[in-house]
Amino acid sequence: MNVSIIGTGYVGTVTGACLAELGHDVICVDIDQQKVDWINAGIAPIHEPGLSELLKKHAEIRLRATTDYNDAIPNSDLTFICVGTPSGEDGRIDLSIVRSASKSIGEALSDKRSYHVVVVKSTVVPETTEKVVAPLVRGENVGIAMNPEFLREGKAVYDFMNPDKIVVGGDPRAVEMVARLYEGIPCEITRTDIRTAEMIKYANNSFLAAKISFANEIGNICKKLGIDVYDVMSAIGKDFRISEHFLNAGAGFGGSCFPKDVRALIGKAEELGYDPMLLNAVIEVNEEQPIRMVKLLVEHIGDLRNRRIAVLGLAFKNDTDDIRESRSIPVITELLNLGAQVSAYDPLAEPNMRKIFPEIDYCESALDALNGADACLIMTEWDEFRSLDKEFDAMKNLVVIDGRRVVSLDHGRGIYEGICW
Ligand code: NAD
């Protein structure tokens, strides 16, 4: 099938490369000329295992990119919308990019006579596809579908090719066309209406976020009782109704999806006159966890003015340079507010964090960050932190507050505290 893809970020590039691998002819559209040039040269615009290989294999053969909607849309049978849906000022979804992309698609479709399906893959709150996208792209021969994406950053190509679910909402003709695209992937297609497909994505992410906040809340209570929350979670995870995943208590969730998607669903619920108490609590617990890290630190070392605090880990999770909504951001903000000097280290995310905190001291290694520090906060579960040991001896005072349970330090060497254990 001939497919066009609007937006070549995480979702668009991975979708394009994987659909090319499945045998489809793909044209990607982005307003960013640099990304377009990279894709045409077979270079991945993002870090994702396996993506460069697919782009190299298919670029200029079954996959190309352009900035011109009129080059891409009329030459395809089906168009995916994969542009960003960030949080607005009030936390509600900002649909301006979706609107602008839909308008451009509508214009490019105006002279097309053959049947064309527009598929929303961006995460959008229920009713968006029908009320915002459809009126802008609707033509006599245009079908509309919604096909949310569940891939995980860092495993995006694998997840696209090995999904545990594929959800497609829309009228039967449009859904059938989308389903044909995925032939070759051994996964049942869940067929729904459009707003159900939209809600499945939000329910999915909100549930996972809720699991993390739940583990954190139980962890906060466990800590007061001297109970190891990891023993508790590992036992309850054996219950098949719960499952062992997403129960790691710690400094909270970040990233480009969970915080924004839970907030967007809260915004949509409020717009409908419903008070989403549980979703609000999921965010509240998550906001509180990084602040708890700093409170624990103050309990141990007191006034932070002019104290050197090592922050190990800046990315929102390991194996990425993505710092969006990273829990290290509120922690560093609080440390600076309290007058501390921050020495930070992350294997990948330093360039991104420099844009937010140009004033802190960035170090070449964990050892450099720890050298002479009054205390250390661990914010990301990087593997290389697991083997840290004698490096802590370089600190002025050995005080370590672990937000990710990555370090084990013998009692007697100094102070080691987990945020929830
Ligand atoms: P992204 O910001 O990485 O990429 C969006 C791309 O769209 C950018 O390259 C941008 O230049 C381009 N763009 C902006 N305006 C455009 C326009 N008018 N026409 C063409 N291109 C335009 O976003 P992403 O992380 O790929 O996320 C896209 C959507 O998928 C979001 O709704 C997100 O919530 C959802 N999603 C993301 C993930 C993830 O892990 N990143 C997973 C599942 C779902």
Side-chain angles (χ1 to χ4, degrees), residues 376-389:
C376 161
L377 301 180
I378 299 175
M379 298 307 306
T380 313
E381 61 276 35
W382 284 102
D383 264 347
E384 67 172 78
F385 297 160
R386 292 183 200 283
S387 54
L388 290 177
D389 183 38

Side-chain angles (χ1 to χ4, degrees), residues 16-321:
C18 291
L19 289 177
E21 179 71 2
L22 290 173
H24 302 291
D25 288 304
V26 180
I27 312 176
C28 295
V29 181
D30 206 290
I31 49 170
D32 183 338
Q33 183 69 50
Q34 173 78 84
K35 285 189 181 170
V36 165
D37 293 343
W38 277 332
I39 290 174
N40 285 329
I43 299 166
I46 48 165
H47 294 288
E48 273 301 328
L51 185 60
S52 296
E53 290 78 353
L54 288 183
L55 290 178
K56 268 190 208 107
K57 184 171 163 193
H58 298 299
E60 299 293 353
I61 303 167
R62 280 215 287 269
L63 176 75
R64 67 183 177 87
T66 174
T67 54
D68 184 3
Y69 278 73
N70 289 316
D71 174 15
I73 309 284
N75 292 315
S76 60
D77 314 303
L78 187 146
T79 301
F80 277 103
I81 298 179
C82 299
V83 296
T85 47
S87 284
E89 293 276 291
D90 54 1
R92 292 185 186 201
I93 191 166
D94 174 355
L95 290 170
S96 54
I97 312 175
V98 168
R99 248 186 223 107
S100 139
S102 304
K103 191 162 169 278
S104 305
I105 295 168
E107 285 161 6
L109 275 175
S110 58
D111 291 332
K112 191 168 184 245
R113 298 284 157 256
S114 56
Y115 183 62
H116 194 99
V117 179
V118 175
V119 192
V120 176
K121 205 177 231 321
S122 297
T123 302
V124 293
V125 291
E127 297 188 313
T128 304
T129 303
E130 291 156 297
K131 291 190 177 169
V132 177
V133 177
L136 291 166
V137 302
R138 185 80 75 192
E140 265 178 37
N141 231 355
V142 178
I144 312 281
M146 204 288 146
N147 170 217
E149 182 51 62
F150 300 96
L151 58 77
R152 294 165 296 171
E153 284 184 21
K155 298 199 167 59
V157 171
Y158 176 85
D159 284 351
F160 191 96
M161 291 305 205
N162 304 276
D164 48 18
K165 60 185 169 299
I166 296 174
V167 175
V168 189
D171 66 75
R173 187 179 178 192
V175 169
E176 230 19 74
M177 206 143 134
V178 181
R180 269 178 39 216
L181 273 182
Y182 290 106
E183 277 169 13
I185 294 185
C187 179
E188 189 197 341
I189 307 244
T190 303
R191 292 168 165 80
T192 67
D193 60 29
I194 286 178
R195 58 180 70 180
T196 305
E198 292 169 326
M199 184 52 113
I200 288 170
K201 173 68 188 175
Y202 281 96
N204 201 103
N205 272 3
S206 299
F207 185 78
L208 294 175
K211 266 188 107 170
I212 298 172
S213 280
F214 172 81
N216 289 339
E217 180 139 275
I218 297 290
N220 294 339
I221 301 168
C222 282
K223 188 168 174 70
K224 289 188 181 294
L225 289 163
I227 297 168
D228 187 337
V229 64
Y230 276 69
D231 290 343
V232 175
M233 291 302 149
S234 130
I236 71 166
K238 293 191 169 80
D239 185 326
F240 74 93
R241 296 166 301 177
I242 294 175
S243 110
E244 67 198 302
H245 303 287
F246 280 75
L247 289 177
N248 293 334
F253 57 80
S256 67
C257 289
F258 285 4
K260 111 174 149 59
D261 290 349
V262 178
R263 285 196 194 101
L265 187 54
I266 289 171
K268 185 67 193 178
E270 287 171 350
E271 183 190 309
L272 298 167
Y274 178 77
D275 175 18
M277 290 170 286
L278 181 60
L279 298 178
N280 275 318
V282 168
I283 293 290
E284 221 174 292
V285 171
N286 199 53
E287 302 281 290
E288 190 55 31
Q289 288 306 96
I291 303 306
R292 292 176 67 81
M293 296 275 297
V294 181
K295 280 187 187 151
L296 265 178
L297 175 68
V298 172
E299 275 172 29
H300 283 292
I301 69 167
D303 191 349
L304 294 187
R305 268 174 297 179
N306 297 320
R307 312 292 287 278
R308 184 175 158 95
I309 310 299
V311 174
L312 299 189
L314 301 171
F316 87 90
K317 66 175 184 181
N318 56 327
D319 297 334
T320 180
D321 63 349

